Amino acid sequence: MAEYDYIEGKKRIDEILDNKLEVIEKDELPNDSDFTFKNSYFSWVTSIFVDIRDSSILFSDQDKAKVSKIIRSFSSEVIEILRKNDSLREIGIRGDCIYGIYTTELQSKIYDIFEMSMYINTFMKMLNKLLTKKSLPTIKVGIGLSTSKELVVKAGRKDTGINSKVWIGEAVTKASNLSSLGNKTGYKPIVLSNNTYINIIDQFIEKCGDNSKSWFDQSTHNEYGIIYDTNLILTEFNDWIEKNI
């Protein structure tokens, strides 16, 4: 292997530790261009993760062309749903999971992310109908959402082009964990953190009526605290699926 120059490594670490780093507390998280190796931001963030259930079974299928078509169909449209938002700050794929991270300094922005989860939940009905028509296996997903103030740091190696943002807080890690609960062990597909629920429920009731609060089930998880799960879909989208597929 190539040798690691630990003497130069020590110098780089000393430089990082000795430099003054500015932590900027700002409700709205800025775009990538505002991040440097000498600052970090503490801002309101909402994250959504979409995780395929039992993906190991799907991936073990010997028909690799079939698996590729299913994964590509799924990822193409989930990314299309997640990317259409001006508040988007990062979108990506982690293994069998697709995620989006958004700046959400306003409750209306958090509601927009929640609405994405309903789009994805409805889209899965369309995808599975199309897969069935092609005699392909259907898939299920868990959708996790979480909101919190997050410390966001640009990390990596300066001058190498190898860098990325690190998200420190509950918004990203909890959304990822909650997505692993959805559509499993009694939970419905969409699982929300308590903070996300608190910030969207009044808007949801205003749009759908007082009764709509009962469409969310509350539970207490040993690790994640109070959470809510639901199987909400978008009626207009669903009606189109029923008529056209």
Side-chain angles (χ1 to χ4, degrees), residues 20-187:
K20 182 179 179 182
L21 188 142
E22 182 183 14
V23 178
I24 302 166
E25 187 163 354
K26 189 176 183 181
D27 285 342
E28 182 179 9
L29 187 69
N31 290 308
D32 284 358
S33 57
D34 291 322
F35 281 85
T36 72
F37 284 99
K38 293 187 177 180
N39 68 19
S40 60
Y41 286 86
F42 189 57
S43 303
W44 279 104
V45 167
T46 296
S47 184
I48 179 170
F49 276 68
V50 186
D51 186 18
I52 299 176
R53 290 282 75 83
D54 301 320
S55 59
S56 58
I57 297 172
L58 175 64
F59 294 165
S60 67
D61 194 305
Q62 294 304 306
D63 189 338
K64 301 309 178 190
K66 176 174 73 177
V67 174
S68 299
K69 287 179 181 180
I70 295 170
I71 295 302
R72 189 165 289 160
S73 300
F74 162 73
S75 61
S76 166
E77 298 313 298
V78 171
I79 288 170
E80 183 66 13
I81 293 167
L82 293 181
R83 76 179 185 88
K84 290 194 167 182
N85 191 300
D86 292 339
S87 299
L88 180 66
R89 291 298 180 265
E90 184 171 308
I91 189 168
I93 302 173
R94 293 182 183 175
D96 60 356
C97 192
I98 299 172
Y99 70 92
I101 306 172
Y102 305 83
T103 178
T104 50
E105 73 281 7
L106 302 173
Q107 286 186 324
S108 59
K109 289 189 173 185
I110 300 173
Y111 189 87
D112 287 345
I113 311 309
F114 170 66
E115 195 168 60
M116 285 181 190
S117 74
M118 292 191 287
Y119 263 108
I120 294 167
N121 196 35
T122 316
F123 158 73
M124 291 306 301
K125 293 188 68 176
M126 180 175 82
L127 175 61
N128 282 325
K129 277 201 165 194
L130 293 171
L131 292 174
T132 299
K133 280 196 166 189
K134 300 289 185 181
S135 300
L136 294 169
T138 58
I139 57 175
K140 292 181 179 181
V141 299
I143 306 166
L145 294 92
S146 183
T147 303
S148 75
K149 264 203 159 181
E150 200 99 336
L151 178 64
V152 190
V153 181
K154 183 176 182 179
R157 268 283 277 118
K158 192 177 181 182
D159 303 325
T160 65
I162 303 171
N163 60 74
S164 184
K165 294 190 291 294
V166 177
W167 307 84
I168 304 165
E170 288 193 348
V172 175
T173 55
K174 185 175 276 190
S176 175
N177 292 332
L178 294 180
S179 72
S180 69
L181 298 179
N183 245 328
K184 190 167 68 174
T185 59
Y187 290 102

Side-chain angles (χ1 to χ4, degrees), residues 9-26:
K10 177 186 178 297
K11 290 179 183 177
R12 286 191 295 268
I13 292 171
D14 282 337
E15 182 183 352
I16 292 168
L17 296 178
D18 291 341
N19 275 345
K20 182 179 179 182
L21 188 142
E22 182 183 14
V23 178
I24 302 166
E25 187 163 354
K26 189 176 183 181

